[in-house]
Amino acid sequence: MLTVALPKGRIAKDTLEIFGQIFGDEFKFDDRKLILETPNFTFLLVRNQDVATYVYHQAADIGVVGIDTLEEQGLDVIRLLDLKKGVCKVSIGMKKGEKFDLNKPDLKVASKMVNITKRYFEERAVSVEIIKLYGSIELAPLIGLADMIVDVVETGATMKQNGLVVVEDIMTSSTYLIANKNSYIAKKDEVLDIYEKINKIINP
Ligand code: PRP
């Protein structure tokens, strides 16, 4: 029996479809239920940012989460397989026409991904003030809250429609199948079995 943490939304739906394909069954959460029990798996529906927490604490054996979220959280879990969904970039954005100059003093950077941001600027020995926001990050440069943002870019539409451009890409992300380190040992056969089955579908 494996417990699987899935992030609410499209990724959960896609992942359950893969499980359905593998086992020739339909896996679906009832209405507002957050737990789905089947003979071989218990599925948990959690917030995207909470998937790795469930897996890290072994409340779930495996899970599905974006590598950007995992990098930001820095939780020690096993990255089993790139599911090649939810592909996006974490990029630096600025108002169109403004110069990307890391030598400018007193730079302010707004982001919801403060750890990725901190690491990026530390590696370049640039001291910046990081302003933590929880959403609508693209607004910050427009009203002078920050000089630049570090944010997720998928289609690029949000930046474009708000007069921002990408000046640098920090990382590429996609969703990964992850596993708890102890579960990977204690339930190795089960974990590897589902890994192989999913791998066959993702990388036919
Ligand atoms: C993300 C991100 C951008 C947007 C980028 O936010 O913060 O605002 O998506 O997508 P695009 O390049 O396709 O326009 P999301 O909608 O995930 O909401 P969140 O701020 O609640 O994470």
Side-chain angles (χ1 to χ4, degrees), residues 112 134-138 151-158:
K112 59 185 166 196
Y134 291 87
S136 302
I137 320 291
E138 291 83 356
D151 201 14
V152 171
V153 180
E154 202 177 336
T155 60
T158 311

mmCIF file with all atom_site columns, all heavy atoms in Angstrom, residues 112 134-138 151-158, ligand 1:
data_model
loop_
_atom_site.group_PDB
_atom_site.id
_atom_site.type_symbol
_atom_site.label_atom_id
_atom_site.label_alt_id
_atom_site.label_comp_id
_atom_site.label_asym_id
_atom_site.label_entity_id
_atom_site.label_seq_id
_atom_site.pdbx_PDB_ins_code
_atom_site.Cartn_x
_atom_site.Cartn_y
_atom_site.Cartn_z
_atom_site.occupancy
_atom_site.B_iso_or_equiv
_atom_site.pdbx_formal_charge
_atom_site.auth_seq_id
_atom_site.auth_comp_id
_atom_site.auth_asym_id
_atom_site.auth_atom_id
_atom_site.pdbx_PDB_model_num
ATOM   1   N N   . LYS A 1 112 ? 7.718  35.436 -4.730  1.00 0.00 ? 112 LYS A N   1
ATOM   2   C CA  . LYS A 1 112 ? 7.157  34.519 -3.733  1.00 0.00 ? 112 LYS A CA  1
ATOM   3   C C   . LYS A 1 112 ? 8.179  33.410 -3.464  1.00 0.00 ? 112 LYS A C   1
ATOM   4   O O   . LYS A 1 112 ? 8.014  32.619 -2.553  1.00 0.00 ? 112 LYS A O   1
ATOM   5   C CB  . LYS A 1 112 ? 5.807  33.962 -4.185  1.00 0.00 ? 112 LYS A CB  1
ATOM   6   C CG  . LYS A 1 112 ? 5.802  33.204 -5.490  1.00 0.00 ? 112 LYS A CG  1
ATOM   7   C CD  . LYS A 1 112 ? 4.380  32.807 -5.890  1.00 0.00 ? 112 LYS A CD  1
ATOM   8   C CE  . LYS A 1 112 ? 4.358  32.363 -7.339  1.00 0.00 ? 112 LYS A CE  1
ATOM   9   N NZ  . LYS A 1 112 ? 3.018  32.318 -7.924  1.00 0.00 ? 112 LYS A NZ  1
ATOM   10  N N   . TYR A 1 134 ? 2.980  37.128 -2.032  1.00 0.00 ? 134 TYR A N   1
ATOM   11  C CA  . TYR A 1 134 ? 2.299  35.835 -2.113  1.00 0.00 ? 134 TYR A CA  1
ATOM   12  C C   . TYR A 1 134 ? 1.614  35.616 -3.464  1.00 0.00 ? 134 TYR A C   1
ATOM   13  O O   . TYR A 1 134 ? 1.127  34.531 -3.751  1.00 0.00 ? 134 TYR A O   1
ATOM   14  C CB  . TYR A 1 134 ? 1.307  35.687 -0.961  1.00 0.00 ? 134 TYR A CB  1
ATOM   15  C CG  . TYR A 1 134 ? 2.030  35.544 0.364   1.00 0.00 ? 134 TYR A CG  1
ATOM   16  C CD1 . TYR A 1 134 ? 2.412  36.658 1.094   1.00 0.00 ? 134 TYR A CD1 1
ATOM   17  C CD2 . TYR A 1 134 ? 2.391  34.282 0.840   1.00 0.00 ? 134 TYR A CD2 1
ATOM   18  C CE1 . TYR A 1 134 ? 3.109  36.530 2.282   1.00 0.00 ? 134 TYR A CE1 1
ATOM   19  C CE2 . TYR A 1 134 ? 3.089  34.143 2.018   1.00 0.00 ? 134 TYR A CE2 1
ATOM   20  C CZ  . TYR A 1 134 ? 3.449  35.269 2.739   1.00 0.00 ? 134 TYR A CZ  1
ATOM   21  O OH  . TYR A 1 134 ? 4.158  35.128 3.907   1.00 0.00 ? 134 TYR A OH  1
ATOM   22  N N   . GLY A 1 135 ? 1.573  36.644 -4.311  1.00 0.00 ? 135 GLY A N   1
ATOM   23  C CA  . GLY A 1 135 ? 0.950  36.506 -5.622  1.00 0.00 ? 135 GLY A CA  1
ATOM   24  C C   . GLY A 1 135 ? 0.940  37.856 -6.314  1.00 0.00 ? 135 GLY A C   1
ATOM   25  O O   . GLY A 1 135 ? 1.422  38.856 -5.751  1.00 0.00 ? 135 GLY A O   1
ATOM   26  N N   . SER A 1 136 ? 0.409  37.892 -7.534  1.00 0.00 ? 136 SER A N   1
ATOM   27  C CA  . SER A 1 136 ? 0.388  39.125 -8.336  1.00 0.00 ? 136 SER A CA  1
ATOM   28  C C   . SER A 1 136 ? 1.747  39.824 -8.314  1.00 0.00 ? 136 SER A C   1
ATOM   29  O O   . SER A 1 136 ? 1.832  41.053 -8.223  1.00 0.00 ? 136 SER A O   1
ATOM   30  C CB  . SER A 1 136 ? -0.694 40.102 -7.831  1.00 0.00 ? 136 SER A CB  1
ATOM   31  O OG  . SER A 1 136 ? -1.950 39.506 -7.873  1.00 0.00 ? 136 SER A OG  1
ATOM   32  N N   . ILE A 1 137 ? 2.797  39.029 -8.426  1.00 0.00 ? 137 ILE A N   1
ATOM   33  C CA  . ILE A 1 137 ? 4.168  39.540 -8.313  1.00 0.00 ? 137 ILE A CA  1
ATOM   34  C C   . ILE A 1 137 ? 4.452  40.611 -9.372  1.00 0.00 ? 137 ILE A C   1
ATOM   35  O O   . ILE A 1 137 ? 5.174  41.568 -9.126  1.00 0.00 ? 137 ILE A O   1
ATOM   36  C CB  . ILE A 1 137 ? 5.204  38.385 -8.493  1.00 0.00 ? 137 ILE A CB  1
ATOM   37  C CG1 . ILE A 1 137 ? 4.753  37.097 -7.801  1.00 0.00 ? 137 ILE A CG1 1
ATOM   38  C CG2 . ILE A 1 137 ? 6.593  38.804 -8.040  1.00 0.00 ? 137 ILE A CG2 1
ATOM   39  C CD1 . ILE A 1 137 ? 4.729  37.121 -6.315  1.00 0.00 ? 137 ILE A CD1 1
ATOM   40  N N   . GLU A 1 138 ? 3.843  40.417 -10.554 1.00 0.00 ? 138 GLU A N   1
ATOM   41  C CA  . GLU A 1 138 ? 4.106  41.312 -11.698 1.00 0.00 ? 138 GLU A CA  1
ATOM   42  C C   . GLU A 1 138 ? 3.761  42.771 -11.410 1.00 0.00 ? 138 GLU A C   1
ATOM   43  O O   . GLU A 1 138 ? 4.199  43.682 -12.101 1.00 0.00 ? 138 GLU A O   1
ATOM   44  C CB  . GLU A 1 138 ? 3.335  40.824 -12.938 1.00 0.00 ? 138 GLU A CB  1
ATOM   45  C CG  . GLU A 1 138 ? 3.838  39.507 -13.516 1.00 0.00 ? 138 GLU A CG  1
ATOM   46  C CD  . GLU A 1 138 ? 3.301  38.275 -12.816 1.00 0.00 ? 138 GLU A CD  1
ATOM   47  O OE1 . GLU A 1 138 ? 2.585  38.420 -11.805 1.00 0.00 ? 138 GLU A OE1 1
ATOM   48  O OE2 . GLU A 1 138 ? 3.615  37.160 -13.260 1.00 0.00 ? 138 GLU A OE2 1
ATOM   49  N N   . ASP A 1 151 ? 9.939  35.249 -10.780 1.00 0.00 ? 151 ASP A N   1
ATOM   50  C CA  . ASP A 1 151 ? 8.630  34.605 -10.782 1.00 0.00 ? 151 ASP A CA  1
ATOM   51  C C   . ASP A 1 151 ? 8.556  33.483 -11.806 1.00 0.00 ? 151 ASP A C   1
ATOM   52  O O   . ASP A 1 151 ? 9.424  33.349 -12.671 1.00 0.00 ? 151 ASP A O   1
ATOM   53  C CB  . ASP A 1 151 ? 7.540  35.645 -11.080 1.00 0.00 ? 151 ASP A CB  1
ATOM   54  C CG  . ASP A 1 151 ? 6.171  35.189 -10.615 1.00 0.00 ? 151 ASP A CG  1
ATOM   55  O OD1 . ASP A 1 151 ? 6.082  34.217 -9.839  1.00 0.00 ? 151 ASP A OD1 1
ATOM   56  O OD2 . ASP A 1 151 ? 5.177  35.796 -11.039 1.00 0.00 ? 151 ASP A OD2 1
ATOM   57  N N   . VAL A 1 152 ? 7.488  32.714 -11.661 1.00 0.00 ? 152 VAL A N   1
ATOM   58  C CA  . VAL A 1 152 ? 7.232  31.614 -12.579 1.00 0.00 ? 152 VAL A CA  1
ATOM   59  C C   . VAL A 1 152 ? 6.675  32.172 -13.891 1.00 0.00 ? 152 VAL A C   1
ATOM   60  O O   . VAL A 1 152 ? 5.762  32.996 -13.879 1.00 0.00 ? 152 VAL A O   1
ATOM   61  C CB  . VAL A 1 152 ? 6.200  30.655 -11.950 1.00 0.00 ? 152 VAL A CB  1
ATOM   62  C CG1 . VAL A 1 152 ? 5.742  29.614 -12.949 1.00 0.00 ? 152 VAL A CG1 1
ATOM   63  C CG2 . VAL A 1 152 ? 6.769  29.997 -10.713 1.00 0.00 ? 152 VAL A CG2 1
ATOM   64  N N   . VAL A 1 153 ? 7.245  31.727 -15.005 1.00 0.00 ? 153 VAL A N   1
ATOM   65  C CA  . VAL A 1 153 ? 6.758  32.122 -16.323 1.00 0.00 ? 153 VAL A CA  1
ATOM   66  C C   . VAL A 1 153 ? 6.368  30.853 -17.074 1.00 0.00 ? 153 VAL A C   1
ATOM   67  O O   . VAL A 1 153 ? 7.185  29.957 -17.256 1.00 0.00 ? 153 VAL A O   1
ATOM   68  C CB  . VAL A 1 153 ? 7.844  32.872 -17.129 1.00 0.00 ? 153 VAL A CB  1
ATOM   69  C CG1 . VAL A 1 153 ? 7.308  33.273 -18.502 1.00 0.00 ? 153 VAL A CG1 1
ATOM   70  C CG2 . VAL A 1 153 ? 8.331  34.098 -16.371 1.00 0.00 ? 153 VAL A CG2 1
ATOM   71  N N   . GLU A 1 154 ? 5.106  30.803 -17.459 1.00 0.00 ? 154 GLU A N   1
ATOM   72  C CA  . GLU A 1 154 ? 4.672  29.621 -18.204 1.00 0.00 ? 154 GLU A CA  1
ATOM   73  C C   . GLU A 1 154 ? 4.465  30.010 -19.668 1.00 0.00 ? 154 GLU A C   1
ATOM   74  O O   . GLU A 1 154 ? 5.267  29.669 -20.526 1.00 0.00 ? 154 GLU A O   1
ATOM   75  C CB  . GLU A 1 154 ? 3.412  29.051 -17.562 1.00 0.00 ? 154 GLU A CB  1
ATOM   76  C CG  . GLU A 1 154 ? 3.193  27.584 -17.912 1.00 0.00 ? 154 GLU A CG  1
ATOM   77  C CD  . GLU A 1 154 ? 1.980  26.986 -17.233 1.00 0.00 ? 154 GLU A CD  1
ATOM   78  O OE1 . GLU A 1 154 ? 1.554  27.501 -16.185 1.00 0.00 ? 154 GLU A OE1 1
ATOM   79  O OE2 . GLU A 1 154 ? 1.445  26.010 -17.792 1.00 0.00 ? 154 GLU A OE2 1
ATOM   80  N N   . THR A 1 155 ? 3.424  30.759 -19.942 1.00 0.00 ? 155 THR A N   1
ATOM   81  C CA  . THR A 1 155 ? 3.214  31.227 -21.323 1.00 0.00 ? 155 THR A CA  1
ATOM   82  C C   . THR A 1 155 ? 3.874  32.585 -21.557 1.00 0.00 ? 155 THR A C   1
ATOM   83  O O   . THR A 1 155 ? 4.102  32.975 -22.704 1.00 0.00 ? 155 THR A O   1
ATOM   84  C CB  . THR A 1 155 ? 1.707  31.398 -21.606 1.00 0.00 ? 155 THR A CB  1
ATOM   85  O OG1 . THR A 1 155 ? 1.195  32.373 -20.681 1.00 0.00 ? 155 THR A OG1 1
ATOM   86  C CG2 . THR A 1 155 ? 0.956  30.093 -21.427 1.00 0.00 ? 155 THR A CG2 1
ATOM   87  N N   . GLY A 1 156 ? 4.128  33.304 -20.480 1.00 0.00 ? 156 GLY A N   1
ATOM   88  C CA  . GLY A 1 156 ? 4.701  34.648 -20.596 1.00 0.00 ? 156 GLY A CA  1
ATOM   89  C C   . GLY A 1 156 ? 3.634  35.733 -20.696 1.00 0.00 ? 156 GLY A C   1
ATOM   90  O O   . GLY A 1 156 ? 3.935  36.923 -20.742 1.00 0.00 ? 156 GLY A O   1
ATOM   91  N N   . ALA A 1 157 ? 2.376  35.308 -20.714 1.00 0.00 ? 157 ALA A N   1
ATOM   92  C CA  . ALA A 1 157 ? 1.276  36.258 -20.928 1.00 0.00 ? 157 ALA A CA  1
ATOM   93  C C   . ALA A 1 157 ? 1.153  37.269 -19.784 1.00 0.00 ? 157 ALA A C   1
ATOM   94  O O   . ALA A 1 157 ? 0.912  38.456 -20.028 1.00 0.00 ? 157 ALA A O   1
ATOM   95  C CB  . ALA A 1 157 ? -0.034 35.499 -21.112 1.00 0.00 ? 157 ALA A CB  1
ATOM   96  N N   . THR A 1 158 ? 1.326  36.800 -18.559 1.00 0.00 ? 158 THR A N   1
ATOM   97  C CA  . THR A 1 158 ? 1.143  37.715 -17.411 1.00 0.00 ? 158 THR A CA  1
ATOM   98  C C   . THR A 1 158 ? 2.178  38.833 -17.458 1.00 0.00 ? 158 THR A C   1
ATOM   99  O O   . THR A 1 158 ? 1.846  40.008 -17.291 1.00 0.00 ? 158 THR A O   1
ATOM   100 C CB  . THR A 1 158 ? 1.230  36.949 -16.077 1.00 0.00 ? 158 THR A CB  1
ATOM   101 O OG1 . THR A 1 158 ? 0.390  35.808 -16.146 1.00 0.00 ? 158 THR A OG1 1
ATOM   102 C CG2 . THR A 1 158 ? 0.780  37.824 -14.912 1.00 0.00 ? 158 THR A CG2 1
HETATM 103 C C1  . PRP B 2 .   ? 2.018  32.135 -11.853 1.00 0.00 ? 1   PRP B C1  1
HETATM 104 C C2  . PRP B 2 .   ? 3.089  33.194 -11.810 1.00 0.00 ? 1   PRP B C2  1
HETATM 105 C C3  . PRP B 2 .   ? 2.656  34.182 -12.834 1.00 0.00 ? 1   PRP B C3  1
HETATM 106 C C4  . PRP B 2 .   ? 1.884  33.342 -13.832 1.00 0.00 ? 1   PRP B C4  1
HETATM 107 C C5  . PRP B 2 .   ? 2.750  33.080 -15.023 1.00 0.00 ? 1   PRP B C5  1
HETATM 108 O O1  . PRP B 2 .   ? 1.028  32.435 -10.988 1.00 0.00 ? 1   PRP B O1  1
HETATM 109 O O2  . PRP B 2 .   ? 3.240  33.737 -10.533 1.00 0.00 ? 1   PRP B O2  1
HETATM 110 O O3  . PRP B 2 .   ? 1.836  35.173 -12.267 1.00 0.00 ? 1   PRP B O3  1
HETATM 111 O O4  . PRP B 2 .   ? 1.569  32.111 -13.205 1.00 0.00 ? 1   PRP B O4  1
HETATM 112 O O5  . PRP B 2 .   ? 2.048  32.385 -16.032 1.00 0.00 ? 1   PRP B O5  1
HETATM 113 P P1  . PRP B 2 .   ? 2.080  32.874 -17.541 1.00 0.00 ? 1   PRP B P1  1
HETATM 114 O O6  . PRP B 2 .   ? 3.505  33.059 -17.929 1.00 0.00 ? 1   PRP B O6  1
HETATM 115 O O7  . PRP B 2 .   ? 1.425  31.741 -18.295 1.00 0.00 ? 1   PRP B O7  1
HETATM 116 O O8  . PRP B 2 .   ? 1.293  34.135 -17.633 1.00 0.00 ? 1   PRP B O8  1
HETATM 117 P P2  . PRP B 2 .   ? -0.175 31.416 -10.715 1.00 0.00 ? 1   PRP B P2  1
HETATM 118 O O9  . PRP B 2 .   ? -1.267 31.698 -11.662 1.00 0.00 ? 1   PRP B O9  1
HETATM 119 O O10 . PRP B 2 .   ? 0.360  30.025 -10.675 1.00 0.00 ? 1   PRP B O10 1
HETATM 120 O O11 . PRP B 2 .   ? -0.725 31.844 -9.317  1.00 0.00 ? 1   PRP B O11 1
HETATM 121 P P3  . PRP B 2 .   ? -0.018 32.001 -7.915  1.00 0.00 ? 1   PRP B P3  1
HETATM 122 O O12 . PRP B 2 .   ? 0.524  33.401 -7.949  1.00 0.00 ? 1   PRP B O12 1
HETATM 123 O O13 . PRP B 2 .   ? -1.146 31.838 -6.969  1.00 0.00 ? 1   PRP B O13 1
HETATM 124 O O14 . PRP B 2 .   ? 1.034  30.953 -7.788  1.00 0.00 ? 1   PRP B O14 1
#
